[in-house]
Amino acid sequence: MSNLPTTTDQLKQYEQRMIRTHWDDAEEKWYFSIVDVVQVLTDSVDGRKYWNKLKQRLKAEGNQTVTNCHQLKMLASDGKMRKTDVADVEQLLRLVQSIPSPKAEPFKLWLAQVGSERIQETIDPELSIDRALETYARKGYSREWINQRLQAIQVRKELTDEWQSRGVQKGLEYAILTDEITRAWSGLSTREYKRLKGLRKENLRDNMSTTEIVLNMLAETSTTDISREEQPQTFAENRAVAQKGGEVAGIARRALEERTGRPVVTSKNAMDFHQLLMEIIVDSAALPENPERK
């Protein structure tokens, strides 16, 4: 039904506390923020300090689990993407043994439940969409944006299915065709687009406005329709189709910009959209309940 991103960042709840997690499709495993886990298990105010001290002790003991831990960028409390130490389930279970906490056993059961949820999502893809919706909502995206983003995932899946049927190879060839579509409708390559928005490894679509997402969907669904009609046989022919599909949305973009006098593609990213939403909420809360009362 849907092709969710190859990597997904989510918030998992354990005893009313949120733990940042990351699913990697390529490795087929969960990664958990160690700082968040430590903070939950120890009830410490600053899990980072506790983890730093524990990490130093474990390293001094020659603990391989700590040595093998790596870092991923995750959303921090200040709203910025920052590197944080992460561990997979196996590493985490080993680390839990080093933390004296009555919550250790219940936490192990929770880890098993998280793994079970992923298996259920594989069996029933609709569960993945439900969880994606919840994750975007927690990050502060508007309902309108979320609906468009989930629809965009379906549109992308239909396009990649079409590419697969035409013999296009996943990986580099998908990336090249995607770049052609992006350039044709937005006037920027994918790399230039991400640079404009100040992104590195973050998902470009997660940092598009509703209008940008809609035009990107138009570009991709147009490419799918044209491909089904022309039935390209070679990569060069698929590339030409990608350019044609992207140009359909490019025409729409230019027409909209001419009518509004404003560019569609901007440097605004997810943090800007989140901040705007928060400002609207704050302003609304400040309004008097009775419109006649000043």
Side-chain angles (χ1 to χ4, degrees):
M1 288 184 61
S2 172
N3 184 27
L4 291 174
T6 55
T7 56
T8 53
D9 294 319
Q10 299 182 15
L11 291 172
K12 295 292 185 182
Q13 184 169 315
Y14 176 76
E15 293 189 348
Q16 308 304 315
R17 304 283 289 275
M18 305 311 298
I19 295 177
R20 290 168 293 173
T21 65
H22 175 91
W23 171 260
D24 191 306
D25 270 348
E27 297 184 19
E28 295 187 341
K29 63 170 62 176
W30 281 110
Y31 285 98
F32 300 80
S33 164
I34 299 177
V35 170
D36 295 352
V37 171
V38 168
Q39 192 157 336
V40 165
L41 293 181
T42 62
D43 288 322
S44 58
V45 177
D46 191 342
R48 191 173 303 280
K49 287 184 179 180
Y50 190 105
W51 167 235
N52 286 337
K53 290 181 180 179
L54 177 61
K55 182 164 57 174
Q56 290 175 1
R57 176 171 67 81
L58 293 176
K59 279 186 176 180
E61 295 173 356
N63 189 299
Q64 290 300 311
T65 302
V66 177
T67 303
N68 295 331
C69 285
H70 61 280
Q71 294 185 320
L72 291 173
K73 278 193 172 183
M74 290 184 163
L75 191 65
S77 57
D78 61 1
K80 296 182 179 180
M81 299 297 291
R82 298 187 183 279
K83 285 186 176 181
T84 186
D85 290 332
V86 296
D88 60 26
V89 174
E90 182 180 353
Q91 293 170 326
L92 210 54
L93 287 172
R94 292 179 180 176
L95 287 174
V96 168
Q97 305 303 323
S98 304
I99 302 175
S101 170
K103 296 183 179 180
E105 288 305 318
F107 186 79
K108 292 177 185 178
L109 294 176
W110 177 81
L111 283 178
Q113 180 184 354
V114 170
S116 174
E117 288 174 355
R118 190 65 192 189
I119 294 173
Q120 292 171 12
E121 289 175 2
T122 302
I123 298 172
D124 184 358
E126 285 190 16
L127 294 175
S128 297
I129 296 179
D130 291 339
R131 296 190 194 286
L133 192 153
E134 292 173 2
T135 300
Y136 284 128
R138 288 195 195 102
K139 289 183 176 181
Y141 288 101
S142 68
R143 175 66 61 176
E144 178 189 25
W145 186 95
I146 294 172
N147 290 337
Q148 294 295 345
R149 182 67 180 96
L150 295 182
Q151 182 62 38
I153 292 172
Q154 177 63 28
V155 168
R156 177 68 179 181
K157 177 62 166 59
E158 291 176 1
L159 174 59
T160 55
D161 284 348
E162 174 64 17
W163 281 345
Q164 188 174 12
S165 71
R166 300 298 166 200
V168 179
Q169 299 299 308
K170 291 182 180 180
L172 180 59
E173 290 189 350
Y174 274 30
I176 291 173
L177 296 185
T178 299
D179 198 58
E180 292 290 352
I181 294 171
T182 303
R183 190 190 303 274
W185 83 258
S186 71
L188 299 171
S189 67
T190 304
R191 179 174 296 181
E192 291 168 341
Y193 206 154
K194 294 185 73 171
R195 188 182 300 125
L196 173 66
K197 288 183 175 291
L199 308 177
R200 292 185 180 178
K201 292 184 178 181
E202 297 90 341
N203 188 292
L204 176 58
R205 292 174 179 82
D206 283 354
N207 288 273
M208 288 182 176
S209 67
T210 302
T211 304
E212 287 172 293
I213 290 177
V214 169
L215 287 173
N216 192 69
M217 279 197 292
L218 175 59
E220 292 192 331
T221 196
S222 297
T223 301
T224 301
D225 290 345
I226 295 171
S227 179
R228 289 169 178 168
E229 182 66 27
E230 297 189 2
Q231 300 184 9
Q233 300 301 311
T234 66
F235 180 71
E237 291 175 350
N238 276 285
R239 194 166 187 170
V241 168
Q243 292 169 349
K244 293 176 183 177
E247 183 55 29
V248 171
I251 293 170
R253 173 184 64 82
R254 290 188 289 273
L256 178 60
E257 289 176 338
E258 184 177 347
R259 291 294 183 92
T260 63
R262 297 193 302 270
V264 168
V265 177
T266 71
S267 61
K268 290 184 178 180
N269 56 35
M271 290 311 304
D272 295 311
F273 304 142
H274 178 70
Q275 180 62 34
L276 176 60
L277 180 62
M278 290 300 100
E279 289 174 358
I280 293 173
I281 293 174
V282 170
D283 290 344
S284 298
L287 293 174
E289 295 182 6
N290 186 343
E292 297 179 355
R293 186 174 59 202
K294 295 182 179 180

